[in-house]
Every structure is written in C-alpha cells, then in structure tokens.
C-alpha cells in the first residue's frame, strides 16, 4: 500500500499552479455523451476520478484520445445506452451525471448507484424529483437506477427542496436537449455549475441563469462538438492557501479566479493571515500565530463544505476556541479522530465541532478517511515538526493533481512511499 511521509515544520515558500476543477471536469466529461460529435476538453486535471470517468465513457463505446498534457478529445457518437461498468460507476459519486446525460441522449438510462466519499447518507431524491418532472419513470432495482420516458420527455418547472449541486447539474444535462422550457428553481450557484452551462452552450445549448438560484434551459434538437477549457479548481487553490497559513509560509498560487475564493480569503484574513489578490493569482503569507474564528459551511458563495476539514487544522493552530459548523452534510467530522491522534483538542456534537487551539500538533501515523480529510491531514503533517505518515492516500489522489510534486517544489519534505505488506 502507498503512504505519504512528511517531515514537517518547514514554512512553504514558492509558487503553485492550480489545475482544472474536478467538480467541473466530471459533469462536463459525462456531458460529452449528449454530443454526437467530437469535443476537445482542455485543462483536465490529472486525477483518478477523471481517469475513471474517461474509462467509463470509453467502455460505453466513446472514442477518448489524449491529445496532450491535460487535453483530451472525446467523441461519444458511438456510445451505447446503459452500458456503463457498475464497478467503475461505484468508484465515483459523479457517475450519477450519467443518469441526466443518458436520459437526455437516449430517452432512457440504466446506471449503477453511485459511490463517492462517505459522509453519511447521500440520497439522490432531488435528482429523481427533477427527472420525474421531465416525464421520467424511475425504478431503483438491485443496485441500479433505471429511467424511462414512455411518453417522451418535456420541459417542466422544478423547485428543489434543498440546494443540491449534483441535482442542479443533472437536471441541466437531462433538459438541454429536451423539447420545451425547463426552469430550475432553488438551484445551486457553484462556479462549476456555470462551467457546465458554458460548456453546453458552447455546444449549442440554450441555458441561462447559471450561477443564480433560477436556471432556464430551452431544449435544442442537437448539440455540436466544441473545444472547451475547464475552470481552475477553487478547492485545490483553497487547500494550498491553508497550507501556506498553517506552515507560516508564503505561497503565490497561480491560475485561480480570486472571486471564487472570496469566502476562503475572508476567513483567512479574519484569522490574521495576509492574502493579496491579483487578476489570476493570490499570494498567501503568514508569519504570526492565527486567531480563532467561527465558520459555518454553506452552498456557494458561502464557505465551502469541501474546505471544512482543512479549516479545522488551522483552528487547531489558532489562539482560542473556534466553532466549526457543518451545515451541508450529515456526518463530515470523521477525520477529527485522526487529528486527535495528533493531539488536537476537538469536541464534536452533531454538526458542530468546538476546536481549542494548541501550541502545536504532534507527529503521528494517520489516515485519509475521505478526499478532503486526506488533504487536511497533509496540511497537519506539513505544519507539524517531526515525521507524520498518512495511509489511504488513494482517496487524496482522487482529487489532487500532483499534490506531492507541487508541495515539494515549495520546500516541503514530503514523499509518496510504497509500503511492502509484511
Ligand atoms: C458535490 O456533491 C461535490 N461532488 C462534493 O464534493 C461537494 O461537497 C458537494 O457537491 C457540495 O458542494 C461532486 O461534485 C462530484 P449536493 P453532491 O447534492 O452533488 C443532500 C469533493 O470533495 N442531498 O450539493 O453530492 C446531500 O446529502 C466532493 O470534491 C439530498 O438530500 O452534493 C447533502 O447533504 C465531496 N438529496 C446536501 O444535499 C439529493 O438528491 C448537498 O449535496 C441531493 C443532495
């Protein structure tokens, strides 16, 4: 099994370039299923989840060719309905986008139930509510989701019971080639939703309002091929911003959209960290001890739930008692047990964690319990003098492109080690 070994306590200094956004790349890759033509997708991050998504399409009969670093041609003309591999679909949560893409392309769908990070139950009832509004009959059968539209699909109005990134994008995929007007209300507003809408519109779609809570989709007959570049990953950028703060270093983080980082920047400044914004970069600098802060995760533009574990590490190293409130997912504090093995003082009560700042964390052997929790353990190791080892790193490699390489280039003593099973 592989592990990450960090000899921490050194300030990060240098420059890190951000890769394409995982949570935009995945719906756009599956969105290519709607296009009976070839698409060239640029700035795809080199991460396991993207590799799984591309393999799923290839197994369905699509042509997928790597044109150069982070640039792929995808031609789904020959892709066969309902032929995705259940083993691969189970590896990633984003495979639920196959439902919207298949129903939009074939008028039916047959997809295994998705997998993904484990933080409590992750229902897809809002996705199903959207599909049923468009005229689908939905059946859950033995680990599969079956969609059928015996009377065809039609535009409709959907008011989501709660803000859901996945359900918002899935209905966009199902509606973009569905006759009539579909109005999605109480929609999620994340930048990756705007990116998917921009991709589909570049292929000839007619989607307006993405980025607001009301999205209108005017169905078109067909989508044509295009060339499209994925936006930078705001969560990857936020992770390195926090690594700079935790190690009292100075990092220039390039290829970002500062506006997407505003809630993260605001919280870091509240803690006494210095953040300077440029057109497409931020510089994060911190020499002194951080002060406590309260954080409540919210859908965009609020503080992202995907930055919650990383923020917990900063709170461990800040003066005073901080409050961390996870309002998006049911159970996203499992990683706190790993931080407590490093000496963290954390009390979790339901969706709220109270974190008492301590002088320093202790090095330990810990594990990644999910993707972003794994990134948080890396930050904890970087900030802690001594040797920290992190297991389960395949979870981290699902969503971070060359994390070890990017950190080593900024002075971190970090390596990926193959551990022979004794
Ligand atoms: C997406 O998950 C992201 N994953 C998650 O990122 C991210 O944390 C989340 O959005 C919120 O931003 C991908 O894009 C692949 P939701 P998703 O639907 O779509 C509940 C990462 O680390 N809900 O916005 O699953 C749900 O249980 C990953 O990159 C329903 O109840 O998130 C949660 O409590 C982790 N019914 C809340 O809504 C539904 O039908 C928000 O979920 C759908 C969701």
């Amino acid at each position: 099994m592989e592990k990450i070994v960090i000899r921490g306590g050194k300030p990060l200094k240098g420059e890190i370039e951000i890769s394409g956004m995982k949570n935009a790349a995945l719906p756009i890759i599956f969105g290519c299923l709607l296009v009976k033509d070839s698409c060239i997708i640029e700035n795809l991050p080199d991460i396991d989840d993207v590799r799984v998504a591309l393999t799923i399409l290839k197994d369905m009969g699509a042509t997928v060719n790597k044109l150069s670093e982070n640039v792929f041609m995808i031609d789904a003309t020959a892709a066969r309905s309902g032929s995705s591999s259940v083993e691969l679909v189970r590896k990633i949560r984003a495979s639920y986008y196959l439902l919207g893409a298949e129903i939009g392309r074939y008028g039916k769908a047959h997809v295994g139930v998705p997998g993904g990070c484990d933080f409590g139950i992750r229902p897809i009832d809002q996705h199903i509510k959207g599909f049923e509004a468009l005229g689908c009959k939905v059946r859950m059968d033995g680990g599969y989701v079956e969609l059928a539209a015996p009377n065809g699909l039609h535009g409709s109005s959907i008011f989501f019971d709660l803000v859901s990134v996945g359900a918002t994008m899935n209905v966009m995929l199902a509606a973009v080639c569905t006759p009539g007007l579909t109005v999605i209300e109480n929609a999620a507003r994340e930048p990756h939703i705007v990116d998917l809408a921009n991709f589909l519109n570049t292929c000839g779609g007619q989607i307006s309002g993405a980025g607001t809570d009301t999205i209108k989709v005017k169905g078109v007959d067909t989508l044509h091929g295009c060339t499209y570049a994925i936006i930078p990953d705001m969560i990857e950028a936020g992770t390195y911003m926090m690594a700079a703060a935790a190690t009292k270093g100075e990092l220039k983080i390039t290829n970002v959209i500062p506006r997407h980082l505003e809630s993260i920047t605001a919280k870091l400044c509240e803690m006494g960290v210095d953040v300077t914004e440029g057109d497409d970069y931020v510089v994060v600098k911190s020499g002194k001890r951080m002060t406590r802060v309260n954080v409540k995760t919210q859908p965009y533009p609020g503080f992202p739930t995907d930055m919650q574990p990383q923020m917990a590490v900063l709170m461990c190293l800040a003066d005073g008692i901080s409050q961390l409130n996870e309002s998006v997912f049911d159970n996203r504090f499992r990683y706190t047990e790993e931080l407590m093995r490093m000496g963290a003082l954390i009390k979790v009560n339901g969706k709220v964690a109270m974190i008492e700042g301590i002088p320093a964390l202790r090095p330990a052997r810990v594990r990644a319990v999910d993707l972003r929790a794994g990134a948080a353990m890396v930050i904890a190791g970087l900030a802690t003098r001594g040797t920290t080892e992190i297991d389960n790193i395949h979870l981290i490699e699902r969503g971070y492109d060359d994390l070890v390489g990017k950190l080593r280039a900024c002075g971190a003593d970090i390596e990926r080690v193959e551990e022979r099973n004794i």
Side-chain angles (χ1 to χ4, degrees), residues 154-177:
H154 53 75
S156 180
S157 286
I158 297 129
F159 196 105
F160 283 129
D161 304 341
L162 50 83
V163 174
S164 163
V165 168
T168 300
M169 292 211 262
N170 232 343
V171 170
M172 279 166 61
L173 290 167
V176 68
C177 292

PDB file of all heavy atoms in Angstrom, residues 154-177:
ATOM      1  N   HIS A 154     -40.377  16.187 -21.599  1.00  0.00           N
ATOM      2  CA  HIS A 154     -40.898  17.532 -21.893  1.00  0.00           C
ATOM      3  C   HIS A 154     -40.347  18.526 -20.875  1.00  0.00           C
ATOM      4  O   HIS A 154     -40.003  18.146 -19.739  1.00  0.00           O
ATOM      5  CB  HIS A 154     -42.434  17.504 -21.806  1.00  0.00           C
ATOM      6  CG  HIS A 154     -42.933  16.947 -20.503  1.00  0.00           C
ATOM      7  ND1 HIS A 154     -42.909  17.648 -19.302  1.00  0.00           N
ATOM      8  CD2 HIS A 154     -43.393  15.706 -20.178  1.00  0.00           C
ATOM      9  CE1 HIS A 154     -43.383  16.907 -18.336  1.00  0.00           C
ATOM     10  NE2 HIS A 154     -43.667  15.697 -18.831  1.00  0.00           N
ATOM     11  N   GLY A 155     -40.245  19.772 -21.270  1.00  0.00           N
ATOM     12  CA  GLY A 155     -39.781  20.817 -20.359  1.00  0.00           C
ATOM     13  C   GLY A 155     -40.712  20.906 -19.162  1.00  0.00           C
ATOM     14  O   GLY A 155     -41.873  20.496 -19.233  1.00  0.00           O
ATOM     15  N   SER A 156     -40.196  21.419 -18.033  1.00  0.00           N
ATOM     16  CA  SER A 156     -41.011  21.488 -16.820  1.00  0.00           C
ATOM     17  C   SER A 156     -40.393  22.490 -15.850  1.00  0.00           C
ATOM     18  O   SER A 156     -39.293  22.982 -16.087  1.00  0.00           O
ATOM     19  CB  SER A 156     -41.049  20.087 -16.175  1.00  0.00           C
ATOM     20  OG  SER A 156     -41.817  20.134 -15.005  1.00  0.00           O
ATOM     21  N   SER A 157     -41.114  22.772 -14.765  1.00  0.00           N
ATOM     22  CA  SER A 157     -40.546  23.623 -13.702  1.00  0.00           C
ATOM     23  C   SER A 157     -40.254  22.754 -12.489  1.00  0.00           C
ATOM     24  O   SER A 157     -41.069  21.908 -12.112  1.00  0.00           O
ATOM     25  CB  SER A 157     -41.532  24.719 -13.312  1.00  0.00           C
ATOM     26  OG  SER A 157     -41.546  25.688 -14.334  1.00  0.00           O
ATOM     27  N   ILE A 158     -39.064  22.939 -11.918  1.00  0.00           N
ATOM     28  CA  ILE A 158     -38.647  22.159 -10.738  1.00  0.00           C
ATOM     29  C   ILE A 158     -38.187  23.117  -9.654  1.00  0.00           C
ATOM     30  O   ILE A 158     -37.370  24.017  -9.931  1.00  0.00           O
ATOM     31  CB  ILE A 158     -37.474  21.219 -11.097  1.00  0.00           C
ATOM     32  CG1 ILE A 158     -37.911  20.197 -12.151  1.00  0.00           C
ATOM     33  CG2 ILE A 158     -36.921  20.513  -9.865  1.00  0.00           C
ATOM     34  CD1 ILE A 158     -36.981  20.122 -13.328  1.00  0.00           C
ATOM     35  N   PHE A 159     -38.760  22.976  -8.462  1.00  0.00           N
ATOM     36  CA  PHE A 159     -38.299  23.788  -7.323  1.00  0.00           C
ATOM     37  C   PHE A 159     -37.640  22.816  -6.346  1.00  0.00           C
ATOM     38  O   PHE A 159     -38.314  22.007  -5.721  1.00  0.00           O
ATOM     39  CB  PHE A 159     -39.477  24.513  -6.651  1.00  0.00           C
ATOM     40  CG  PHE A 159     -39.008  25.627  -5.740  1.00  0.00           C
ATOM     41  CD1 PHE A 159     -39.130  26.954  -6.125  1.00  0.00           C
ATOM     42  CD2 PHE A 159     -38.399  25.347  -4.518  1.00  0.00           C
ATOM     43  CE1 PHE A 159     -38.675  27.985  -5.299  1.00  0.00           C
ATOM     44  CE2 PHE A 159     -37.934  26.363  -3.692  1.00  0.00           C
ATOM     45  CZ  PHE A 159     -38.075  27.687  -4.079  1.00  0.00           C
ATOM     46  N   PHE A 160     -36.318  22.834  -6.234  1.00  0.00           N
ATOM     47  CA  PHE A 160     -35.629  21.867  -5.364  1.00  0.00           C
ATOM     48  C   PHE A 160     -35.941  22.137  -3.897  1.00  0.00           C
ATOM     49  O   PHE A 160     -36.010  23.287  -3.463  1.00  0.00           O
ATOM     50  CB  PHE A 160     -34.109  21.921  -5.596  1.00  0.00           C
ATOM     51  CG  PHE A 160     -33.663  21.224  -6.858  1.00  0.00           C
ATOM     52  CD1 PHE A 160     -32.854  21.854  -7.776  1.00  0.00           C
ATOM     53  CD2 PHE A 160     -34.080  19.923  -7.126  1.00  0.00           C
ATOM     54  CE1 PHE A 160     -32.444  21.208  -8.937  1.00  0.00           C
ATOM     55  CE2 PHE A 160     -33.688  19.266  -8.285  1.00  0.00           C
ATOM     56  CZ  PHE A 160     -32.869  19.911  -9.187  1.00  0.00           C
ATOM     57  N   ASP A 161     -36.123  21.039  -3.140  1.00  0.00           N
ATOM     58  CA  ASP A 161     -36.413  21.145  -1.699  1.00  0.00           C
ATOM     59  C   ASP A 161     -35.196  21.671  -0.942  1.00  0.00           C
ATOM     60  O   ASP A 161     -35.323  22.240   0.143  1.00  0.00           O
ATOM     61  CB  ASP A 161     -36.786  19.769  -1.121  1.00  0.00           C
ATOM     62  CG  ASP A 161     -37.954  19.141  -1.865  1.00  0.00           C
ATOM     63  OD1 ASP A 161     -38.669  19.905  -2.556  1.00  0.00           O
ATOM     64  OD2 ASP A 161     -38.111  17.914  -1.781  1.00  0.00           O
ATOM     65  N   LEU A 162     -34.000  21.407  -1.508  1.00  0.00           N
ATOM     66  CA  LEU A 162     -32.765  21.891  -0.870  1.00  0.00           C
ATOM     67  C   LEU A 162     -31.766  22.181  -1.984  1.00  0.00           C
ATOM     68  O   LEU A 162     -31.928  21.712  -3.115  1.00  0.00           O
ATOM     69  CB  LEU A 162     -32.215  20.873   0.120  1.00  0.00           C
ATOM     70  CG  LEU A 162     -32.067  19.428  -0.350  1.00  0.00           C
ATOM     71  CD1 LEU A 162     -30.775  19.212  -1.130  1.00  0.00           C
ATOM     72  CD2 LEU A 162     -32.072  18.483   0.849  1.00  0.00           C
ATOM     73  N   VAL A 163     -30.743  22.945  -1.654  1.00  0.00           N
ATOM     74  CA  VAL A 163     -29.752  23.318  -2.667  1.00  0.00           C
ATOM     75  C   VAL A 163     -28.829  22.122  -2.901  1.00  0.00           C
ATOM     76  O   VAL A 163     -28.174  21.648  -1.966  1.00  0.00           O
ATOM     77  CB  VAL A 163     -28.935  24.536  -2.204  1.00  0.00           C
ATOM     78  CG1 VAL A 163     -27.818  24.830  -3.201  1.00  0.00           C
ATOM     79  CG2 VAL A 163     -29.842  25.752  -2.053  1.00  0.00           C
ATOM     80  N   SER A 164     -28.830  21.614  -4.129  1.00  0.00           N
ATOM     81  CA  SER A 164     -28.009  20.442  -4.455  1.00  0.00           C
ATOM     82  C   SER A 164     -27.217  20.692  -5.733  1.00  0.00           C
ATOM     83  O   SER A 164     -27.791  20.901  -6.809  1.00  0.00           O
ATOM     84  CB  SER A 164     -28.910  19.208  -4.663  1.00  0.00           C
ATOM     85  OG  SER A 164     -28.194  18.195  -5.352  1.00  0.00           O
ATOM     86  N   VAL A 165     -25.885  20.647  -5.605  1.00  0.00           N
ATOM     87  CA  VAL A 165     -25.003  20.813  -6.768  1.00  0.00           C
ATOM     88  C   VAL A 165     -25.299  19.718  -7.792  1.00  0.00           C
ATOM     89  O   VAL A 165     -25.554  19.984  -8.969  1.00  0.00           O
ATOM     90  CB  VAL A 165     -23.527  20.767  -6.327  1.00  0.00           C
ATOM     91  CG1 VAL A 165     -22.591  20.646  -7.516  1.00  0.00           C
ATOM     92  CG2 VAL A 165     -23.178  21.986  -5.487  1.00  0.00           C
ATOM     93  N   GLY A 166     -25.290  18.478  -7.331  1.00  0.00           N
ATOM     94  CA  GLY A 166     -25.465  17.349  -8.249  1.00  0.00           C
ATOM     95  C   GLY A 166     -26.805  17.358  -8.935  1.00  0.00           C
ATOM     96  O   GLY A 166     -26.898  17.169 -10.149  1.00  0.00           O
ATOM     97  N   ALA A 167     -27.861  17.608  -8.174  1.00  0.00           N
ATOM     98  CA  ALA A 167     -29.204  17.568  -8.770  1.00  0.00           C
ATOM     99  C   ALA A 167     -29.370  18.713  -9.772  1.00  0.00           C
ATOM    100  O   ALA A 167     -29.963  18.533 -10.847  1.00  0.00           O
ATOM    101  CB  ALA A 167     -30.266  17.653  -7.671  1.00  0.00           C
ATOM    102  N   THR A 168     -28.813  19.887  -9.442  1.00  0.00           N
ATOM    103  CA  THR A 168     -28.903  21.027 -10.365  1.00  0.00           C
ATOM    104  C   THR A 168     -28.248  20.686 -11.698  1.00  0.00           C
ATOM    105  O   THR A 168     -28.836  20.872 -12.763  1.00  0.00           O
ATOM    106  CB  THR A 168     -28.225  22.266  -9.752  1.00  0.00           C
ATOM    107  OG1 THR A 168     -28.862  22.617  -8.515  1.00  0.00           O
ATOM    108  CG2 THR A 168     -28.275  23.464 -10.698  1.00  0.00           C
ATOM    109  N   MET A 169     -27.048  20.112 -11.634  1.00  0.00           N
ATOM    110  CA  MET A 169     -26.332  19.819 -12.889  1.00  0.00           C
ATOM    111  C   MET A 169     -26.969  18.637 -13.623  1.00  0.00           C
ATOM    112  O   MET A 169     -27.031  18.638 -14.857  1.00  0.00           O
ATOM    113  CB  MET A 169     -24.852  19.555 -12.589  1.00  0.00           C
ATOM    114  CG  MET A 169     -24.142  20.820 -12.112  1.00  0.00           C
ATOM    115  SD  MET A 169     -22.416  20.870 -12.562  1.00  0.00           S
ATOM    116  CE  MET A 169     -21.714  20.287 -11.026  1.00  0.00           C
ATOM    117  N   ASN A 170     -27.496  17.673 -12.864  1.00  0.00           N
ATOM    118  CA  ASN A 170     -28.093  16.516 -13.515  1.00  0.00           C
ATOM    119  C   ASN A 170     -29.340  16.891 -14.311  1.00  0.00           C
ATOM    120  O   ASN A 170     -29.559  16.403 -15.423  1.00  0.00           O
ATOM    121  CB  ASN A 170     -28.454  15.443 -12.482  1.00  0.00           C
ATOM    122  CG  ASN A 170     -27.881  14.076 -12.875  1.00  0.00           C
ATOM    123  OD1 ASN A 170     -27.504  13.855 -14.027  1.00  0.00           O
ATOM    124  ND2 ASN A 170     -27.824  13.182 -11.914  1.00  0.00           N
ATOM    125  N   VAL A 171     -30.136  17.825 -13.765  1.00  0.00           N
ATOM    126  CA  VAL A 171     -31.345  18.255 -14.485  1.00  0.00           C
ATOM    127  C   VAL A 171     -30.958  19.100 -15.702  1.00  0.00           C
ATOM    128  O   VAL A 171     -31.572  18.997 -16.766  1.00  0.00           O
ATOM    129  CB  VAL A 171     -32.306  19.013 -13.547  1.00  0.00           C
ATOM    130  CG1 VAL A 171     -33.429  19.671 -14.328  1.00  0.00           C
ATOM    131  CG2 VAL A 171     -32.876  18.058 -12.500  1.00  0.00           C
ATOM    132  N   MET A 172     -29.887  19.872 -15.579  1.00  0.00           N
ATOM    133  CA  MET A 172     -29.413  20.640 -16.751  1.00  0.00           C
ATOM    134  C   MET A 172     -29.055  19.678 -17.877  1.00  0.00           C
ATOM    135  O   MET A 172     -29.433  19.875 -19.035  1.00  0.00           O
ATOM    136  CB  MET A 172     -28.168  21.467 -16.374  1.00  0.00           C
ATOM    137  CG  MET A 172     -28.460  22.762 -15.652  1.00  0.00           C
ATOM    138  SD  MET A 172     -26.980  23.477 -14.890  1.00  0.00           S
ATOM    139  CE  MET A 172     -25.939  23.753 -16.284  1.00  0.00           C
ATOM    140  N   LEU A 173     -28.349  18.602 -17.534  1.00  0.00           N
ATOM    141  CA  LEU A 173     -27.938  17.604 -18.542  1.00  0.00           C
ATOM    142  C   LEU A 173     -29.170  16.937 -19.166  1.00  0.00           C
ATOM    143  O   LEU A 173     -29.246  16.763 -20.385  1.00  0.00           O
ATOM    144  CB  LEU A 173     -27.041  16.539 -17.895  1.00  0.00           C
ATOM    145  CG  LEU A 173     -25.641  16.997 -17.473  1.00  0.00           C
ATOM    146  CD1 LEU A 173     -24.994  15.956 -16.572  1.00  0.00           C
ATOM    147  CD2 LEU A 173     -24.773  17.287 -18.691  1.00  0.00           C
ATOM    148  N   ALA A 174     -30.148  16.608 -18.325  1.00  0.00           N
ATOM    149  CA  ALA A 174     -31.348  15.915 -18.847  1.00  0.00           C
ATOM    150  C   ALA A 174     -32.191  16.844 -19.708  1.00  0.00           C
ATOM    151  O   ALA A 174     -32.864  16.420 -20.643  1.00  0.00           O
ATOM    152  CB  ALA A 174     -32.185  15.391 -17.675  1.00  0.00           C
ATOM    153  N   ALA A 175     -32.146  18.162 -19.423  1.00  0.00           N
ATOM    154  CA  ALA A 175     -33.082  19.111 -20.067  1.00  0.00           C
ATOM    155  C   ALA A 175     -32.519  19.780 -21.316  1.00  0.00           C
ATOM    156  O   ALA A 175     -33.288  20.287 -22.146  1.00  0.00           O
ATOM    157  CB  ALA A 175     -33.481  20.187 -19.059  1.00  0.00           C
ATOM    158  N   VAL A 176     -31.201  19.777 -21.482  1.00  0.00           N
ATOM    159  CA  VAL A 176     -30.590  20.623 -22.534  1.00  0.00           C
ATOM    160  C   VAL A 176     -31.073  20.238 -23.941  1.00  0.00           C
ATOM    161  O   VAL A 176     -31.199  21.095 -24.817  1.00  0.00           O
ATOM    162  CB  VAL A 176     -29.042  20.610 -22.433  1.00  0.00           C
ATOM    163  CG1 VAL A 176     -28.480  19.246 -22.775  1.00  0.00           C
ATOM    164  CG2 VAL A 176     -28.413  21.675 -23.316  1.00  0.00           C
ATOM    165  N   CYS A 177     -31.403  18.957 -24.167  1.00  0.00           N
ATOM    166  CA  CYS A 177     -31.935  18.527 -25.482  1.00  0.00           C
ATOM    167  C   CYS A 177     -33.377  18.045 -25.360  1.00  0.00           C
ATOM    168  O   CYS A 177     -33.872  17.288 -26.205  1.00  0.00           O
ATOM    169  CB  CYS A 177     -31.072  17.408 -26.060  1.00  0.00           C
ATOM    170  SG  CYS A 177     -29.437  17.964 -26.532  1.00  0.00           S
TER     171      CYS A 177
END
